Every structure is written in C-alpha cells, then in structure tokens.
Amino acid sequence: MGNPVKLIPAALICLVLITLCHTYSRAQSKNSIQVKTLDQSLRPLADLQVSVNGNEFVSTGPRGVVFVDLYDSELPPKVIKIRNDDHEVESWNYSKGVLEIIVRKKKYNIVSIEVKDAENKKLTGLEVTFQGQRSFTGTVNSKGIFSLPLSKD
C-alpha cells in the first residue's frame, strides 16, 4: 500500500474534479423549446428550414412547428435564420419555452458583385455606393464580394 499522506491529496484532487464536472454539466443544461414559424397574419408556415443561434437547420414540418434543444447560454435566441430565397425573418419572440418566428416575403433580391482592380485582383474592405432609384452604400467583404439588394418591383 502507498503512503497515506500522498493518497489524501490525490483523493482530494479527484473529488474537486468530480465536483467541477458536475457543476459545469448542471450550468450547461439543455432546454427543449418549441419553434413556430408564422406568416405576418400569424398563420403557421409549413416546411421552413430554421437555424437558431447558428445551429444546424431543422425543418418545421407540415404544421410549422419543431422542437429544438438549446443550452441555457443560448437563451434567449440571438440569431434566427431561415433557408429560403423568397422569405426572410421579420421578427421573433421567445417566452416560456416557445420561440415564435414571424416570416415575410422578401421584397428584394441580393445581387453579388465581384470587385477587382485593373490587374484583376480582388479588392476588399472598400466602401461602395450604388446610385439608382435608391442609393445604397456597403462594404466589399473579405472575398471581394459586394452584396447589393435590388427591389423586386
């Protein structure tokens, strides 16, 4: 058998680690929340792909409802995305375990424009102003792309 004086600190370290792991797992518990997608008249919108806080996209199914698991630190939700070219998130409300997402039809299309110099090198970080029926100012991203929203009408 080993020296009892050396075994006491080792046992104490094990006890501290077990306590820390238990505390961390309780602090990061998951919550199952109901996600509802609705149109502007508050009618259910079926079969939309929804992502909450950058998590994977999930389908809301034929009734416009799905359950997702989120950690305590992810509540209330901060970023909601839908995978649909014709619709966008208008607003959302999270209360008592239910996340209601109001979705609207887009009134614009995004046109991506690659910005290059005379030597065909991509330019980044530039501020670009588009002059049309409406003016729009934006910044070229790190890939040399300027995204321009154009009205559908």
Side-chain angles (χ1 to χ4, degrees):
M1 208 170 194
N3 185 345
V5 175
K6 290 183 180 177
L7 290 178
I8 291 174
L12 185 60
I13 290 172
C14 287
L15 182 62
V16 168
L17 288 175
I18 290 169
T19 303
L20 287 174
C21 289
H22 179 69
T23 303
Y24 179 75
S25 67
R26 282 190 10 226
Q28 286 297 315
S29 64
K30 280 198 167 190
N31 302 285
S32 185
I33 67 166
Q34 183 182 39
V35 178
K36 296 179 179 181
T37 51
L38 309 165
D39 66 13
Q40 290 175 305
S41 299
L42 303 180
R43 291 182 300 237
L45 271 176
D47 300 316
L48 287 178
Q49 297 286 317
V50 177
S51 170
V52 180
N53 291 338
N55 292 319
E56 66 184 64
F57 282 89
V58 294
S59 176
T60 59
R63 294 186 180 184
V65 177
V66 67
F67 284 88
V68 296
D69 292 330
L70 297 176
Y71 288 107
D72 289 338
S73 61
E74 296 179 289
L75 295 173
K78 293 156 189 65
V79 178
I80 309 291
K81 292 183 181 179
I82 60 168
R83 191 181 288 163
N84 186 308
D85 291 335
D86 296 326
H87 291 83
E88 65 184 349
V89 174
E90 178 179 274
S91 64
W92 69 84
N93 181 51
Y94 175 72
S95 178
K96 298 181 182 178
V98 178
L99 174 61
E100 295 177 325
I101 303 169
I102 308 299
V103 177
R104 66 178 171 211
K105 285 194 176 222
K106 285 185 181 176
K107 296 181 180 179
Y108 60 90
N109 289 320
I110 298 291
V111 176
S112 297
I113 302 168
E114 196 170 38
V115 181
K116 297 181 178 182
D117 64 10
E119 297 171 358
N120 211 25
K121 293 180 183 175
K122 293 181 182 178
L123 299 174
T124 62
L126 293 176
E127 185 175 284
V128 176
T129 300
F130 175 79
Q131 300 281 337
Q133 285 181 338
R134 291 186 179 163
S135 295
F136 177 79
T137 301
T139 304
V140 178
N141 70 17
S142 62
K143 297 177 183 176
I145 303 292
F146 174 71
S147 296
L148 177 65
L150 294 177
S151 176
K152 288 186 175 184
D153 49 358

